[in-house]
Each structure stands twice: as structure tokens, then as C-alpha cells.
Amino acid sequence: MALLHNRVSQKELKKLLYEETESRITVSFYKYAAIQDPQAFRDELYKNLNDLKVFGRIYVAHEGVNAQASVPASNFEKFKEYLNTISFLKDIRLNVAVDDDGKSFWVLKIKVRKKIVADGISDPGFDMSKKGKYVDADSFNQLTSDPETIVVDMRNHYEFEVGHFQNAIEIPSDTFRQQLPMAVNLLEEKKDKNIIMYCTGGIRCEKASAYMLHKGFKNVYHLEGGIIQYAAKVKEQKLPNKFLGKNFVFDGRLGEKIGDEIISHCHQCGAPCDTHTNCANEACHLLFIQCESCAKKYEGCCSEKCRAENQLPEEEKKLNRKGKKNGMMIFNKSRKRMENLMENKNF
């Protein structure tokens, strides 16, 4: 029977990754497409990508596939050739990471899910094929030069905090499923305006554009390939860059520089900083922004309490972690911002 799951510890895999001498390329791609048997598709995908020594995080569902991957440079052409053998992925756009050391992933995880983007949509009349119009980097810059154009960020609050487009509206939230109805409510009086939605790689804003059209909005666009593709095209075509700061990414890098600005601050001391990290105390693991000075002072922890806990003997630390399910704990300042935004609708 073919190997369909990793059987080596995470710690050992990460160690092996950093011992590699060959360079790797970090890419992402997605496609909304009907997959009749997601489990069979997942298993076939795993076997072929594992053979190519691809690492990454991939979700498969009846509605399509969503992938972030780290590919050995020597296998990159074979990787593309393999994707081209899958009918709905033939000639798929691959978003290549902008600021990349190739150490984004150290294991291959492919999971079957109900949806490739958890959206909370239960309306049977919603049709993903009726989506907004794509805009490329040049068109985005032209459309956003009109002050009447509304630019909407469809990412989570901690992504927006470290980087976003000029004049973009934040929908401050923890999840995409929360954002969709919030965006509709916030923009309900702007249904005839030009609205451009964007996200990291395009997958969320593509679905959001379809949802907005479903809710009666008229002129909805979404940025093709998201921030990643925009940054690549701006560089390639020597276009003005309208993105400020850093693009948060969901891999080991936790961010890639797009603009030179630092627009966020250390959550501990308030110094300019855009470096996300997870609290070194595994019983906490909070995602937050921490500057070098505070990282040294708190030894990578989010508080003095966590720093003290992290110095305990390993057995005591294990007892502290026992039974805890932290999930994705995130330093959150978004709720008050959303209350103010919904109350004033001043943008």
C-alpha cells in the first residue's frame, strides 16, 4: 500500500528541512471546481506530490482545491507537469512567494474538508460560478485612482494590521465566515459603486465577490491572484506599488515584505514592528507582534507569566499543557474597531 501520510515527527522533519542544501520554491494556487470524490483525489494528490518531495498544506473539498506548497527547485517543472495532468488544474496560475527562503513548510499535509474556504454560506441559491470580474495589477491601480472606488480587504484583522492597500476598508474579524455578512451590512448603501475585493492569494476575495453579487451588489471586482500576484506583477511591469507594509502568509515565514513601510507596532512595547510570532510557551502559543527587544526581554513569550512558565522543568510544562486546546489564539484588537466602523460607516 502506498504511503498516504507522514510518519516522521514534526521536530525531525523541521530539522531535515534546515539540513537541506537544495533551494525550494514556495507557491500557492487554488481552483473552484467540482470534485466528485475528494478523498480519492486527495490520496492520488498525496502520492504524486510526496514522490516529488513537495511539502505544504493543501485542502480538498467537493468545491475544489486550495494549496500552499514548498517545491524543490529541481522538481519544479515536474510539479507543474503533474498539475497539468489534472484537467481542472491545467495551466493553473501559480503564485510564487515574493520574499522566500524556501523554508515555509517541512511536511506535506493534505486534508479533506467540507469547503476549501469556510464561509458559513448555507443559502442553496448561492452560485459560486457567478463571481465578480478579475482585475490585474495595472487595472487595480487604475480603478483605485478613482476616489469613488471602494477597496475592501477580505482578510483577518491580524493580516490587515501589518499590511494593506492604500485606503482599503478593513472588515475587522477573526474569520472569513464572519466577514461576509459584515461586508454586506457595512456596504449596503453602496450597491452601485465600484467595489474591489482582495485577499492574500485570491481564493477568499473570489468567493466574496460572488457573495456580494448574490446579495444584490452591481459592480464587484476581485484582485486576480491576490496580493501575492499583485506584488509580482508590480515588480515585473514596474508599476506603482499601492500596497503598504507586509503581506501576512500562513506558513513558517508568517509574512513577506511588499512595501518598505512598517505600519504596525509591537503588541508589548508599542515600537514600530511587523514581525508576527507565536508565544514560546506552548501552553499559550498566542500569535502576536513582537519586536527584537521584547523578544529578548520576554524570551519569545507574550507575557512575564508565560516567560516564567516556559522556564519550568519539562514535566511541569507538559502538565500545564495537558487538556488544553488553544487552537489559533490571536492577539485581537478588532472588535472595537468593527463597532466603530459599523456605527459611523465613514469611509
Side-chain angles (χ1 to χ4, degrees):
M1 182 178 177
L3 176 66
L4 295 177
H5 298 276
N6 163 62
R7 293 175 183 171
V8 183
S9 74
Q10 294 279 328
K11 185 177 180 180
E12 181 63 23
L13 286 166
K14 193 170 185 179
K15 179 175 177 289
L16 290 171
L17 171 66
Y18 280 89
E19 288 175 352
E20 282 188 354
T21 55
E22 182 179 5
S23 61
R24 284 178 167 270
I25 301 170
T26 300
V27 298
S28 60
F29 65 90
Y30 73 91
K31 184 71 175 180
Y32 288 104
I35 298 178
Q36 297 303 316
D37 189 341
Q39 186 63 51
F41 179 81
R42 178 263 173 214
D43 292 348
E44 186 67 21
L45 195 63
Y46 189 96
K47 285 187 290 185
N48 284 277
L49 295 187
N50 189 58
D51 286 346
L52 293 173
K53 298 181 180 179
V54 172
F55 300 150
R57 183 190 304 113
I58 301 174
Y59 299 132
V60 175
H62 284 291
E63 70 171 357
V65 59
N66 178 20
Q68 297 85 41
S70 170
V71 186
S74 61
N75 284 339
F76 195 64
E77 289 305 314
K78 291 179 182 177
F79 171 74
K80 291 194 291 184
E81 288 169 10
Y82 168 64
L83 294 183
N84 281 336
T85 66
I86 302 169
S87 58
F88 69 87
L89 294 181
K90 185 173 174 58
D91 298 324
I92 189 77
R93 180 190 63 248
L94 297 177
N95 283 339
V96 178
V98 179
D99 183 11
D100 181 28
D101 63 0
K103 309 298 185 185
S104 49
F105 296 97
W106 51 86
V107 65
L108 177 61
K109 292 183 179 179
I110 307 182
K111 297 182 178 181
V112 174
R113 290 193 161 180
K114 288 184 179 179
K115 294 187 178 183
I116 54 174
V117 179
D119 52 33
I121 299 171
S122 56
D123 185 347
F126 174 71
D127 185 352
M128 187 58 222
S129 68
K130 296 176 181 177
K131 58 192 178 185
K133 302 170 187 173
Y134 276 132
V135 288
D136 59 17
D138 188 35
S139 299
F140 178 91
N141 282 358
Q142 290 181 43
L143 276 168
T144 54
S145 66
D146 181 352
E148 291 296 304
T149 297
I150 298 171
V151 183
V152 184
D153 192 309
M154 292 306 297
R155 301 173 303 151
N156 301 327
H157 64 90
Y158 54 92
E159 299 173 78
F160 183 92
E161 186 174 5
V162 293
H164 51 258
F165 281 105
Q166 296 170 13
N167 303 318
I169 296 171
E170 178 189 12
I171 312 292
S173 61
D174 294 325
T175 66
F176 181 65
R177 67 168 64 230
Q178 291 174 342
Q179 276 187 321
L180 289 173
M182 289 162 68
V184 170
N185 291 338
L186 181 65
L187 300 170
E188 60 186 348
E189 297 173 5
K190 312 284 185 180
K191 287 190 173 180
D192 294 321
K193 297 279 187 182
N194 283 338
I195 297 173
I196 304 180
M197 317 194 90
Y198 74 88
C199 59
T200 306
I203 188 169
R204 287 176 283 181
C205 56
E206 184 166 326
K207 182 170 279 189
S209 73
Y211 187 74
M212 298 295 276
L213 289 172
H214 179 66
K215 290 296 184 178
F217 289 79
K218 308 298 182 187
N219 306 306
V220 186
Y221 303 83
H222 57 105
L223 182 58
E224 184 176 9
I227 299 163
I228 299 173
Q229 180 79 350
Y230 175 87
K233 291 301 179 182
V234 159
K235 186 175 181 180
E236 177 185 311
Q237 298 172 13
K238 296 181 171 52
L239 302 172
N241 175 31
K242 293 193 173 187
F243 190 87
L244 308 172
K246 180 182 281 189
N247 179 31
F248 183 95
V249 291
F250 293 88
D251 58 48
R253 297 171 297 152
L254 293 179
E256 54 184 15
K257 269 291 191 187
I258 306 296
D260 294 328
E261 311 85 358
I262 296 178
I263 65 172
S264 50
H265 300 85
C266 174
H267 288 159
Q268 290 172 309
C269 73
C273 178
D274 58 8
T275 302
H276 273 101
T277 189
N278 288 103
C279 179
N281 177 16
E282 292 185 18
C284 172
H285 208 58
L286 178 79
L287 179 70
F288 69 111
I289 297 173
Q290 186 179 54
C291 68
E292 287 185 14
S293 176
C294 287
K296 185 176 180 180
K297 177 180 177 181
Y298 294 98
E299 298 177 6
C301 294
C302 68
S303 65
E304 184 58 43
K305 179 184 175 183
C306 276
R307 189 194 70 81
E309 282 187 11
N310 208 40
Q311 291 179 335
L312 294 172
E314 190 58 38
E315 287 305 312
E316 257 188 270
K317 287 198 284 186
K318 284 182 181 178
L319 285 173
N320 286 343
R321 294 196 299 267
K322 191 174 181 181
K324 286 190 177 181
K325 294 183 179 179
N326 291 334
M328 188 65 163
M329 289 180 60
I330 301 161
F331 185 89
N332 192 343
K333 300 186 294 185
S334 71
R335 290 182 178 86
K336 190 64 179 176
R337 294 204 302 274
M338 192 62 215
E339 288 172 11
N340 292 337
L341 195 58
M342 290 300 293
E343 182 179 344
N344 301 315
K345 295 191 178 181
N346 184 22
F347 49 86

